[in-house]
Amino acid sequence: MTLPARGFDLLKDVDVRLSVELGRTEMKLKDVLALGEESVVMLDRLTDELLDVMVNGTLIARGEIVAENGRFGLRIVELATGGEESK
């Protein structure tokens, strides 16, 4: 099914949840409860790996962190192809 270009105008105001994932780890609950202000949690990614950009839990792109005017941002480096899953 192909929608005409103006058909997408109906969807432009739909709210979606965009999230950027730095990495993942598995921990026991007792270790999570022991976290404090100076705690460090090691993730499964290296510092030079791209971050997953997801919309409603679906991987749509990968990107990298940028800093501009004292704020963090995200530069999209590659768009996901249909069959990809997040790491």
Side-chain angles (χ1 to χ4, degrees), residues 64-84:
E64 60 190 10
I65 296 290
V66 294
E68 189 170 313
N69 298 327
R71 298 185 65 129
F72 287 113
L74 179 77
R75 176 181 297 125
I76 301 297
V77 174
E78 61 187 45
L79 296 176
T81 57
E84 289 185 80

Side-chain angles (χ1 to χ4, degrees), residues 24-82:
R24 297 179 185 187
T25 193
E26 289 188 20
M27 299 174 70
K28 294 191 179 297
L29 182 56
K30 67 178 182 177
D31 297 329
V32 173
L33 295 173
L35 293 174
E37 287 186 28
E38 298 294 323
S39 298
V40 175
V41 176
M42 299 302 293
L43 303 175
D44 64 351
R45 300 250 177 119
L46 300 174
T47 56
D48 61 345
E49 286 186 74
L50 296 176
L51 309 176
D52 289 342
V53 181
M54 295 176 285
V55 170
N56 292 342
T58 299
L59 180 69
I60 62 154
R62 291 202 168 89
E64 60 190 10
I65 296 290
V66 294
E68 189 170 313
N69 298 327
R71 298 185 65 129
F72 287 113
L74 179 77
R75 176 181 297 125
I76 301 297
V77 174
E78 61 187 45
L79 296 176
T81 57

